[in-house]
Amino acid sequence: MGSAGQNQGARGGRRLTAALCPSASEQARLQASVVEEDTEEWQKDSSFAGLERVGGVDLSYIKGDDTSACASLVVLSYPALEVLHEDCRMVAVSTPYVAGFLAFREVPFLVEAVQRLQREQPKLKPQVLLVDGNGLLHPRGFGVACHLGVLTDLPCVGVAKNLLQVDGLVRDELHREQIRSLRREGDTFPLTGASGRVLGMALRSCKNSSKPLYVSVGHRVCLQTAVRLVRSCCRYRIPEPIRQADIRSREYIRKQLCSPPEAVSSGPERKNEAGLDD
């Protein structure tokens, strides 16, 4: 196919995407507002002086039911990482899942939690959010962390446990070799796509786990600052704000159902989108 035919095919593909998913145009509109650089004074300080509150968000689903979930927002002190605020609520997830558009299904509940905190206890509003999922590391460069950041106008960082394979990024032998090169806590390597753009960073977040985290920009933060912040929030492999949001949302579901731990899941679609599929 010639270049003209390829361009026509690409345009046709984009039109088809927009026709099949009404969220495509809205996603593109919101994406234009993403800021990929530091905007806060505390971000410019090597020890993040001035940062006092870090938020973490998570959604946990009832196993076997992808319409019932617990939306969790926690706020931790910084740098002590002690829980200052917890908001866990059961929500009915009615928006259907469409690959690449997970945020339209889940982010509204997280935005509500942030807004609720702003109304009821504004002094505890987080200065930055860590999100269980991706930011710019996304098929269209606008993952959950970007979406939440734009809608709340808060600095946001995407943190995924596994690599979302986009723009030529694959979990091949080269990638596994790069992971093996992360010998010390804090070691990193860039996630450079076939386009030549650095979409995120693989980070060894703690000495006791050789599995990296995949950190990407969400909103109002540069990649280097995002990586430094995530590392500073890790007592274990998963940064404490996200870890606490996950623990508390799962426990909330168990209490609601009086059920064992295996009754809670991340949801199959959410795992795939966030790069949490194994």
Side-chain angles (χ1 to χ4, degrees), residues 241-261:
I242 293 175
R243 180 173 170 271
Q244 288 297 328
D246 176 69
I247 289 172
R248 290 160 191 266
S249 64
R250 290 170 180 268
E251 181 61 24
Y252 189 86
I253 289 178
R254 285 195 288 269
K255 288 181 178 179
Q256 294 293 307
L257 300 178
C258 297
S259 299

Side-chain angles (χ1 to χ4, degrees), residues 1-19:
M1 182 184 293
S3 60
Q6 290 175 338
N7 290 338
Q8 184 177 11
R11 288 194 296 271
R14 286 194 292 269
R15 286 195 296 270
L16 178 60
T17 298

Side-chain angles (χ1 to χ4, degrees), residues 76-249:
L76 276 60
S77 64
Y78 188 90
L81 301 178
E82 297 176 349
V83 176
L84 302 174
H85 172 80
E86 170 186 347
D87 183 345
C88 294
R89 305 212 177 184
M90 296 303 298
V91 296
V93 185
S94 58
T95 302
Y97 171 75
V98 178
F101 298 91
L102 174 71
F104 288 92
R105 176 175 165 86
E106 297 190 347
V107 162
F109 305 111
L110 304 177
V111 171
E112 287 176 6
V114 173
Q115 292 175 339
R116 195 159 49 240
L117 177 58
Q118 172 66 29
R119 289 194 307 269
E120 298 174 2
Q121 294 179 283
K123 291 183 179 180
L124 293 180
K125 184 178 179 180
Q127 294 163 273
V128 60
L129 289 170
L130 301 188
V131 182
D132 182 9
N134 293 291
L136 297 181
L137 182 58
H138 179 269
R140 279 170 297 282
F142 194 73
V144 172
C146 297
H147 201 126
L148 181 61
V150 168
L151 292 185
T152 60
D153 198 30
L154 285 172
C156 272
V157 177
V159 184
K161 300 182 188 74
N162 291 296
L163 178 66
L164 186 61
Q165 301 183 84
V166 299
D167 193 16
L169 294 171
V170 293
R171 286 176 288 189
D172 56 9
E173 182 54 36
L174 174 59
H175 185 72
R176 288 188 286 271
E177 180 60 34
Q178 289 176 309
I179 291 175
R180 288 192 288 269
S181 75
L182 304 177
R183 299 184 181 279
R184 296 182 301 275
E185 178 182 349
D187 283 354
T188 63
F189 65 82
L191 301 169
T192 305
S195 64
R197 187 179 185 191
V198 176
L199 302 176
M201 198 77 73
L203 165 70
R204 179 163 180 167
S205 57
C206 73
K207 62 182 179 181
N208 295 326
S209 177
S210 60
K211 294 181 179 179
L213 296 175
Y214 296 92
V215 180
S216 56
V217 168
H219 184 51
R220 292 178 57 183
V221 63
C222 74
L223 183 57
Q224 291 74 20
T225 299
V227 171
R228 286 198 299 121
L229 177 63
V230 169
R231 183 187 176 192
S232 73
C233 288
C234 288
R235 290 175 173 166
Y236 307 96
R237 181 191 173 212
I238 307 302
E240 201 64 13
I242 293 175
R243 180 173 170 271
Q244 288 297 328
D246 176 69
I247 289 172
R248 290 160 191 266
S249 64

Side-chain angles (χ1 to χ4, degrees), residues 61-73:
Y61 289 80
I62 296 175
K63 190 171 184 179
D65 183 355
D66 64 0
T67 64
S68 297
C70 176
S72 173
L73 165 68

